[in-house]
């Protein structure tokens, strides 16, 4: 996705999706709404981590790569350490909703910072339709084939066989 649209553009879109999901999570009134908005937040967050690493990888000289990745790793270490006490403080003295609202100013500051950085070049590749079709079939194959729970049960091998045939019928290696 980053090669097609640019790492910075993908990261900014992911950040907006994450922040919007977070704000919507703070405004829910029903449990199902919280589930949907948290899923939205998860989708945005799942694109942010690899996007940030890719931006760092493309923008830092090779000699400074180690120090740059330390700065990318530190928030991932501090978050689980500081999250529970800070979240408990916010929930106790304010409201649980503010746990979600606090991400909005952080997201806006990050977008303001990224507006000042140059965009990464994108190399649009042709859309891989066959990969999109066969990928859902290959994933269970890789998971089930290595699972000890499927050993010795003939009925469990039919989905694996189907996935194997589907995923190997028309393999495509990207150029």
């Amino acid at each position: 996705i980053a090669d097609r649209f640019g790492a910075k553009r993908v990261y900014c879109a992911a950040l907006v999706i994450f922040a919007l999901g977070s704000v919507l999570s703070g405004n829910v009134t029903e449990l199902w709404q919280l589930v949907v908005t948290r899923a939205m937040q998860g989708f945005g967050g799942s694109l942010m981590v690899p996007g940030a690493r890719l931006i760092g990888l493309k923008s830092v000289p090779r000699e400074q790569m180690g120090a740059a990745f330390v700065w990318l790793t530190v928030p991932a270490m501090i978050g689980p350490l500081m999250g529970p006490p800070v979240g408990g403080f916010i929930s106790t003295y304010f409201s649980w909703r503010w746990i979600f609202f606090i991400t909005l100013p952080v997201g806006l500051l990050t977008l303001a910072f990224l507006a000042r950085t140059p965009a990464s070049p994108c190399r649009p590749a042709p859309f891989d339709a066959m990969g999109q079709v066969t990928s859902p079939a290959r994933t269970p194959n890789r998971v089930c084939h290595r699972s000890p729970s499927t050993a010795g049960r003939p009925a469990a091998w039919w989905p694996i066989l189907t996935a194997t045939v589907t995923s190997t019928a028309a393999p495509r290696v990207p150029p």
Side-chain angles (χ1 to χ4, degrees):
I1 294 175
D3 283 343
R4 189 172 194 77
F5 300 109
K8 179 182 167 184
R9 187 175 297 153
V10 170
Y11 182 80
C12 288
L15 184 61
V16 167
I17 292 168
F18 179 82
L20 182 63
S22 189
V23 168
L24 291 174
S25 293
N27 287 314
V28 299
T29 57
E30 301 285 331
L31 180 61
W32 69 268
Q33 294 171 337
L34 184 62
V35 170
V36 169
T37 57
R38 292 287 287 159
M40 181 181 177
Q41 209 179 7
F43 177 75
S46 69
L47 289 173
M48 285 172 51
V49 173
R53 289 187 178 164
L54 192 57
I55 290 170
L57 183 68
K58 290 183 176 187
S59 63
V60 174
R62 189 176 291 265
E63 308 82 48
Q64 299 172 350
M65 197 73 65
F69 277 100
V70 166
W71 283 105
L72 289 171
T73 306
V74 166
M77 299 298 168
I78 292 176
L81 180 69
M82 295 300 296
V86 171
F89 177 82
I90 292 170
S91 295
T92 301
Y93 295 105
F94 300 102
S95 168
W96 64 269
R97 296 177 186 275
W98 281 99
I99 293 172
F100 296 108
F101 295 145
I102 198 131
T103 60
L104 186 62
V106 174
L108 291 174
L109 285 172
T110 305
L111 285 173
F113 173 75
L114 285 173
R116 296 175 173 233
T117 61
S120 60
C122 50
R123 302 166 302 201
F127 181 72
D128 182 13
M130 185 59 71
Q132 291 294 318
V133 170
T134 61
S135 181
R138 288 189 305 245
T139 303
N141 178 32
R142 290 184 180 129
V143 172
C144 293
H145 184 66
R146 290 174 177 84
S147 173
S149 65
T150 58
R153 290 191 287 173
W157 288 104
W158 284 108
I160 296 170
L161 179 63
T162 304
T164 302
V165 169
T166 306
S167 65
T168 58
R172 176 168 178 195
V173 178

